[in-house]
Amino acid sequence: MKNDKDQKTLKKFKKEYPLSKDYEYVLGSDDAGRTIDVHLPSSKHAKRVRKKLPVRYQNLRVIVFHPSEKD
């Protein structure tokens, strides 16, 4: 499922959109197709990160994940 082309695309994405080293970048997929998933350690910066990243990158959707905040 994860081929060399996608791995190269992910590497290029990480160089083009540098973020914190605390964030994890993962190739994924869902019913709508292939994705680049960016996992944040908390929701604190999620809104800001989403504004910096494109919605799509080389035919892959970009999704930002974070743990849900509990009251």
Side-chain angles (χ1 to χ4, degrees):
M1 194 178 216
K2 297 177 186 173
N3 60 34
D4 288 337
K5 181 181 173 192
D6 287 344
Q7 290 294 336
K8 288 178 185 177
T9 300
L10 182 61
K11 188 175 181 178
K12 186 175 175 184
F13 176 82
K14 288 169 73 173
K15 280 186 177 181
E16 199 168 324
Y17 297 97
L19 298 170
S20 172
K21 294 181 188 214
D22 294 334
Y23 302 165
E24 180 183 5
Y25 297 80
V26 179
L27 290 170
S29 66
D30 61 16
D31 293 344
R34 304 284 297 141
T35 62
I36 295 175
D37 302 337
V38 181
H39 294 267
L40 310 182
S42 73
S43 64
K44 184 177 179 182
H45 301 288
K47 190 173 185 178
R48 183 175 52 91
V49 169
R50 286 187 177 109
K51 285 183 180 181
K52 286 184 169 186
L53 299 178
V55 175
R56 295 189 75 77
Y57 184 80
Q58 295 187 7
N59 295 324
L60 300 172
R61 287 182 304 117
V62 178
I63 303 173
V64 176
F65 290 95
H66 60 81
S68 62
E69 300 295 319
K70 299 200 179 195
D71 294 331

